[in-house]
Amino acid sequence: MLPKPHPLALSVALACGLPMLAQADAVFTLDDVLVEAELYKSYAEYAPTSGTKTDLPWQQVPQSVSVVSSAEMQDKGAIRLVDALEGVAGVNNTLGEGSRDQFVIRGFDALNDTYRDGLRDDGGFQTFRSLANIERVEVVKGPAGALYGRGSAGGIINLISKRADGRKVLDVNLGAGSEGRFGSRLDAGGNLTDSLNGRINLELRQGDSYVNEVDYSDYFIAPTVRWEPGERQTLDLDLELLHQEVTPYRGVPSVNGKPVDVPVETYYGARNDFQEADSQRLALTHKVALADSWEWVNRAAYNRITLQQKGTRNANVNGNRLEQTVNNFGFDPQTSATLQSELTWNTEHNQLLMGVDYNEFERDFTLATIKKDQVPTQDLLNPEGRNTDNPGFAPFRQNSTDSLGLYAQNVVTLGPWSVLGGVRYDRMELEQQFKGTTSSNEDEKLSPRLGLVYTLSDELSFYGSWGRSWQLPYGGIYVNPRLAEFYRTDLLELGMKSYLFEDRLMLHGALFRIDQQQPETNDNGEITARNEFRHEGLELEARGQITDAWNIAAGYSYLEAKDRETGYRPNDVSDHLFSLWTSYQTDFGLKLGGGVKYVGNRFAGNNEAVTLGDYTKVDLMAAYSWQQHHTLQLNLDNVLNEKYILGTTSGGSGAHQLGYGAPTQWMLSYRYQL
């Protein structure tokens, strides 16, 4: 096996290996951005817009913002969101209960911080989201409350949907791989009439897993239409339907501060464990250019999901026996509705954004459990395949969260200086019905944001920013009387951004500090304690093209994260993260690529109860294209067969729910693209 590279050495090699800054002719005015976007190819095909919700050039945004393009996702053979986000500095995955997307951004849990086209994606909270209709993924790092409201301590993930933009599209992808995995996708669209365009994305996925008894099956349907009644207006209507069945995987327990050393295929759950979800999303976006420099955008979205999960969980180790519980929960249903209206004014020296949004979230939560003294124990090293009793899905709790936000942001450019100022007002109301008792929590908060950018040249800029966000405990999904105060998060960040090779390669470096305060309260809502956390570190990122044929996506982050009172590192947060992915397209149709990901030391559970260690994973790909339309691609993941812990569940439960990552896997796919 190859020796593990130290992440600091890798980051230094990356930085030292980059050529000197090249000269470019780009002029960063609004009109030039639209033309400049045509110059982006492959991994830097798009400049991200989620940082300011405007067309402000990436180089003038005073915050870390990364973009993962569809070309990069295709090369990686990305099936799930976790595959797409490998390579984004400061972002790492967790176990997510083995049944959902869940990420850590700059050391903070981002479970409730995924957005779709700028709107909260509450409907995907407990599932693996499909990438079939995703054009690109944008990650805004650091508190983003001044724009997006309630949440985001470490950052947000914004999924940008494919649109029926009038292009004729036909893209068919068929894949098969190890563990009986099979997947197929269809992306088709074009003009329906002179003013009406249509597009549809379909996906079917199913397969077993490297873990015994674990399998999955789902389908996804996403039609979209665009009506253009005139030159200045567009109306997009999106529908998404997802059915997903997956076996929850809660990983392995720990003994003496280390994960139990069993084969990665070992399954401690029950054969009759399951999760089944059905979700629907309907969204409407209306854009109108009121004048040459004014644009008005209105959005509305409705999500509905019904879900049931039966899960057998590891609870405690007693000698050579593992104690377990059975936990059933469900949404019957969960719904959310969002309305948003934004007005932007763009001139050569001024970019103004004004917006208002309203979000209504409701959940009927079902829950039933079987305690550990009622569940037969398992052999710690040789668990047997078995069923456990099913306690059903009893009505448990009803929750609702309503939030209203008003926000404004302005960017003024004077010579080489750009000044950003923004503020958001949020009013949030939570209500809970539980065992005949009504609990509530409400507050009003202001989230300010300031940023300063100095553009040294067309290729290089420096920035500083400060921002404050307010986060709802538990993401606002339920009320805990002892957490009646919102969490406060403050960001300080200094950074630089640069373009190389005629704007084809984007470079970014940042130093940051995030302080979060989590107050505890008594039953009367009075503050009894303030838990304080500080996350500070360094991020380096390079994404784009070195030559017309050579693409690269690389990121490194160093993070010092701790509870300021105890000094302990949070659950499942590593000190170093490094990822490098690159691909090279030859003149005779062959593309070769590969990547390495290094995750530094982590701990699981409270107070650093379990040491997880570090790991290095290496992936490879090869693709051959012919006749301009056909591509055959092979992806090999974890080719060195590294045995490692992928991630844990959150909080104290993570000490006995440690998920092993996949061993060597392969996926062969055929793609036809018109």
Side-chain angles (χ1 to χ4, degrees):
M1 181 177 293
L2 294 177
K4 296 182 178 179
H6 192 281
L8 185 59
L10 289 170
S11 64
V12 171
L14 170 64
C16 294
L18 294 172
M20 298 298 291
L21 296 178
Q23 296 297 314
D25 297 325
V27 179
F28 294 104
T29 65
L30 179 61
D31 291 337
D32 287 334
V33 170
L34 298 176
V35 175
E36 183 182 344
E38 298 301 321
L39 298 176
Y40 295 156
K41 302 295 183 183
S42 294
Y43 295 3
E45 184 178 358
Y46 298 98
T49 59
S50 299
T52 62
K53 290 192 173 185
T54 69
D55 289 330
L56 187 71
W58 168 79
Q59 196 176 0
Q60 293 181 327
V61 176
Q63 195 165 357
S64 301
V65 188
S66 302
V67 59
V68 181
S69 69
S70 57
E72 183 179 339
M73 290 188 282
Q74 173 66 29
D75 282 355
K76 291 179 177 178
I79 298 175
R80 291 178 173 172
L81 190 54
V82 62
D83 307 318
L85 291 181
E86 285 197 354
V88 177
V91 179
N92 198 27
N93 54 278
T94 71
L95 181 58
E97 300 182 350
S99 58
R100 68 185 181 203
D101 297 321
Q102 189 166 353
F103 299 91
V104 170
I105 304 178
R106 289 185 171 176
F108 289 97
D109 180 35
L111 175 61
N112 298 286
D113 297 321
T114 298
Y115 290 71
R116 188 177 294 266
D117 302 317
L119 301 179
R120 293 182 63 85
D121 187 30
D122 293 316
F125 170 82
Q126 186 63 36
T127 63
F128 293 113
R129 296 170 175 87
S130 174
L131 295 176
N133 69 331
I134 301 304
E135 185 70 48
R136 63 188 186 276
V137 182
E138 299 187 359
V139 182
V140 181
K141 283 166 276 186
L147 278 182
Y148 294 93
R150 56 182 184 94
S152 89
I156 70 159
I157 299 166
N158 190 22
L159 310 178
I160 309 299
S161 301
K162 295 176 181 177
R163 293 299 186 193
D165 53 12
R167 292 176 298 163
K168 187 176 181 180
V169 178
L170 180 59
D171 192 339
V172 181
N173 196 305
L174 301 173
S178 51
E179 284 90 40
R181 294 177 297 156
F182 169 79
S184 60
R185 287 181 182 175
L186 170 67
D187 181 6
N191 297 111
L192 302 177
T193 68
D194 290 341
S195 60
L196 189 66
N197 307 320
R199 190 169 183 173
I200 188 169
N201 283 271
L202 306 174
E203 182 177 45
L204 174 66
R205 298 184 300 191
Q206 63 181 35
D208 293 325
S209 167
Y210 59 94
V211 180
N212 295 334
E213 309 292 346
V214 174
D215 57 17
Y216 65 92
S217 174
D218 56 61
Y219 64 81
F220 178 73
I221 305 171
T224 180
V225 294
R226 169 173 288 182
W227 180 41
E228 298 175 310
E231 293 182 358
R232 292 180 174 268
Q233 291 192 68
T234 60
L235 186 68
D236 291 296
L237 179 64
D238 305 325
L239 175 65
E240 296 180 6
L241 303 173
L242 172 68
H243 174 80
Q244 188 167 99
E245 299 176 23
V246 61
T247 306
Y249 169 58
R250 293 273 179 163
V252 305
S254 65
V255 175
N256 298 325
K258 294 183 179 181
V260 172
D261 188 11
V262 293
V264 297
E265 64 267 19
T266 304
Y267 178 61
Y268 287 89
R271 287 175 172 171
N272 60 337
D273 285 351
F274 71 92
Q275 176 175 295
E276 184 171 345
D278 286 282
S279 67
Q280 305 87 37
R281 181 179 187 269
L282 182 65
L284 183 68
T285 302
H286 178 236
K287 293 184 180 182
V288 56
L290 301 176
D292 290 341
S293 56
W294 289 89
E295 184 179 58
W296 189 20
V297 182
N298 295 287
R299 298 181 178 92
Y302 175 78
N303 289 271
R304 185 182 190 275
I305 180 171
T306 56
L307 180 142
Q308 289 187 340
Q309 183 192 108
K310 175 192 175 291
T312 302
R313 306 182 182 188
N314 305 329
N316 190 47
V317 175
N318 187 359
N320 63 351
R321 305 300 296 180
L322 173 66
E323 298 174 338
Q324 296 183 300
T325 63
V326 178
N327 294 67
N328 284 18
F329 69 87
F331 310 151
D332 190 27
Q334 173 186 293
T335 63
S336 64
T338 304
L339 297 173
Q340 183 187 85
S341 182
E342 295 180 336
L343 184 66
T344 56
W345 177 49
N346 292 294
T347 66
E348 184 177 354
H349 301 292
N350 197 91
Q351 289 167 323
L352 174 67
L353 168 71
M354 296 177 291
V356 57
D357 60 32
Y358 173 77
N359 181 266
E360 183 180 276
F361 173 91
E362 294 184 352
R363 175 187 286 177
D364 286 348
F365 190 67
T366 61
L367 179 70
T369 63
I370 303 177
K371 297 181 179 180
K372 62 183 181 181
D373 57 355
Q374 298 174 304
V375 179
T377 60
Q378 281 273 37
D379 187 292
L380 181 62
L381 299 179
N382 296 289
E384 60 177 332
R386 62 175 184 176
N387 292 340
T388 53
D389 291 341
N390 188 335
F393 297 88
F396 184 70
R397 188 178 61 230
Q398 293 180 319
N399 294 87
S400 66
T401 301
D402 295 342
S403 61
L404 174 67
L406 304 171
Y407 50 100
Q409 172 189 272
N410 196 29
V411 181
V412 178
T413 302
L414 300 172
W417 295 94
S418 294
V419 181
L420 180 149
V423 65
R424 178 181 173 111
Y425 163 83
D426 281 290
R427 178 170 180 80
M428 293 162 277
E429 299 179 355
L430 291 77
E431 186 174 288
Q432 178 172 284
Q433 303 288 335
F434 177 55
K435 295 183 178 180
T437 301
T438 300
S439 303
S440 62
N441 190 5
E442 61 180 73
D443 209 339
E444 300 174 336
K445 297 297 184 183
L446 283 177
S447 299
R449 180 189 188 193
L450 295 172
L452 181 66
V453 179
Y454 178 70
T455 304
L456 183 64
S457 67
D458 289 342
E459 301 84 27
L460 180 63
S461 66
F462 299 90
Y463 71 86
S465 65
W466 171 84
R468 171 169 293 174
S469 289
W470 297 91
Q471 188 174 22
L472 294 176
Y474 304 106
I477 60 176
Y478 71 92
V479 178
N480 183 343
R482 296 189 179 275
L483 293 175
E485 282 289 325
F486 294 176
Y487 301 162
R488 189 188 77 188
T489 309
D490 292 330
L491 167 73
L492 286 174
E493 182 170 321
L494 298 173
M496 59 80 64
K497 296 182 179 182
S498 180
Y499 285 106
L500 293 182
F501 311 130
E502 298 179 343
D503 299 348
R504 291 190 309 237
L505 184 66
M506 306 163 74
L507 302 180
H508 176 237
L511 294 169
F512 63 87
R513 186 178 75 193
I514 302 175
D515 287 318
Q516 186 176 75
Q517 187 180 95
Q518 299 181 1
E520 296 180 7
T521 61
N522 58 26
D523 291 338
N524 297 321
E526 300 167 335
I527 295 177
T528 59
R530 298 181 186 272
N531 301 313
E532 296 185 350
F533 301 86
R534 171 165 287 180
H535 294 200
E536 53 189 350
L538 163 72
E539 288 176 355
L540 302 173
E541 192 168 69
R543 178 166 270 105
Q545 289 182 303
I546 297 178
T547 70
D548 289 341
W550 185 8
N551 291 284
I552 186 173
Y556 166 74
S557 63
Y558 170 75
L559 179 65
E560 184 68 32
K562 63 182 179 180
D563 183 316
R564 299 191 69 183
E565 180 178 354
T566 65
Y568 287 127
R569 179 176 289 272
N571 177 75
D572 205 7
V573 173
S574 64
D575 52 359
H576 296 277
L577 280 175
F578 174 81
S579 182
L580 169 65
W581 177 269
T582 185
S583 66
Y584 186 83
Q585 178 68 60
T586 68
D587 293 334
F588 49 88
L590 180 64
K591 177 184 285 189
L592 298 174
V596 57
K597 179 180 180 180
Y598 174 85
V599 177
N601 292 311
R602 296 165 293 155
F603 298 95
N606 296 327
N607 301 328
E608 301 182 359
V610 182
T611 301
L612 301 183
D614 60 354
Y615 71 87
T616 302
K617 183 170 74 77
V618 177
D619 304 326
L620 297 174
M621 66 83 64
Y624 180 70
S625 301
W626 69 97
Q627 296 180 355
Q628 297 183 331
H629 304 303
H630 307 275
T631 302
L632 192 64
Q633 180 168 322
L634 176 65
N635 286 87
L636 298 174
D637 297 332
N638 194 10
V639 294
L640 301 182
N641 204 29
E642 176 88 340
K643 186 178 182 180
Y644 64 97
I645 296 294
L646 171 73
T648 76
T649 56
S650 58
S653 69
H656 290 297
Q657 301 186 63
L658 315 167
Y660 276 117
T664 302
Q665 291 184 312
W666 59 271
M667 175 67 74
L668 182 65
S669 62
Y670 164 76
R671 185 183 190 188
Y672 176 83
Q673 190 174 25
L674 188 62

